[in-house]
Amino acid sequence: MQTDQHQKDLEFMKAALDEAKTGLAEGGIPIGAVLVINNRIVGRGHNRRVQSGNPILHGEMDCLQNAGRLRARDYQMATLYTTLSPCAMCSGAILLYKIPRVVMAENKTFTGEEKHLIARGVALVNLNLPEAISMMQKFITEQPHLWDEDIGV
């Protein structure tokens, strides 16, 4: 039996996955994110490094930028939904704004700074969604040069 929170997590993750699919359709890297406060999406984004030529526009960073200016206490009530385990840069933003909870679709294809986030008190939830794993595995196989560029290899 699924809890109400798990159902909400799946619902918001669907929005993040939709963002990832948009990024892929644009010729970019399929990673999406949404920022949720009080059960409402206040920001959404997807990795736009390729599309914009901007090296910091990972999905989470694009989402935070699109959320606009928020009060510190707003971030402290937020959950960030991301389709992939957050990298060092995105984890830094999570810690900077004191976002207390991160829900990721998967960490099989890439494990970011999870130990660091946990050590700093961030609650992490991994939904381990086959759809997300499959999408990233296919992308990494088909576009290894873009993937290596994105993660700094």
Side-chain angles (χ1 to χ4, degrees), residues 4 14 92 122:
D4 287 344
K14 182 185 179 316
V122 176

Side-chain angles (χ1 to χ4, degrees), residues 59-111:
E60 300 90 337
M61 303 300 276
D62 188 46
C63 172
L64 292 171
Q65 179 175 307
N66 291 334
R69 252 177 93 192
L70 299 173
R71 298 172 301 185
R73 68 175 174 240
D74 293 330
Y75 291 111
Q76 294 166 15
M77 298 184 312
T79 297
L80 180 67
Y81 291 82
T82 178
T83 59
L84 190 62
S85 179
C87 72
M89 176 178 64
C90 297
S91 293
I94 291 163
L95 294 173
L96 175 68
Y97 292 110
K98 297 179 176 65
I99 297 171
R101 184 169 184 264
V102 174
V103 179
M104 62 188 129
E106 65 106 348
N107 68 353
K108 183 175 180 179
T109 58
F110 176 79
T111 302

Side-chain angles (χ1 to χ4, degrees), residues 1-96:
M1 186 169 155
Q2 295 181 340
T3 66
D4 287 344
Q5 184 60 60
H6 184 72
Q7 280 302 113
K8 287 179 185 177
D9 287 345
L10 290 173
E11 173 188 331
F12 291 126
M13 187 56 72
K14 182 185 179 316
L17 284 164
D18 288 346
E19 286 291 328
K21 291 172 188 172
T22 297
L24 183 61
E26 294 172 353
I29 298 158
I31 302 170
V34 296
L35 186 67
V36 174
I37 300 172
N38 293 325
N39 292 312
R40 188 174 68 84
I41 295 174
V42 298
R44 58 178 66 230
H46 53 273
N47 187 305
R48 294 189 313 118
R49 292 182 69 253
V50 173
Q51 301 91 310
S52 69
N54 184 332
I56 65 167
L57 275 185
H58 283 195
E60 300 90 337
M61 303 300 276
D62 188 46
C63 172
L64 292 171
Q65 179 175 307
N66 291 334
R69 252 177 93 192
L70 299 173
R71 298 172 301 185
R73 68 175 174 240
D74 293 330
Y75 291 111
Q76 294 166 15
M77 298 184 312
T79 297
L80 180 67
Y81 291 82
T82 178
T83 59
L84 190 62
S85 179
C87 72
M89 176 178 64
C90 297
S91 293
I94 291 163
L95 294 173
L96 175 68

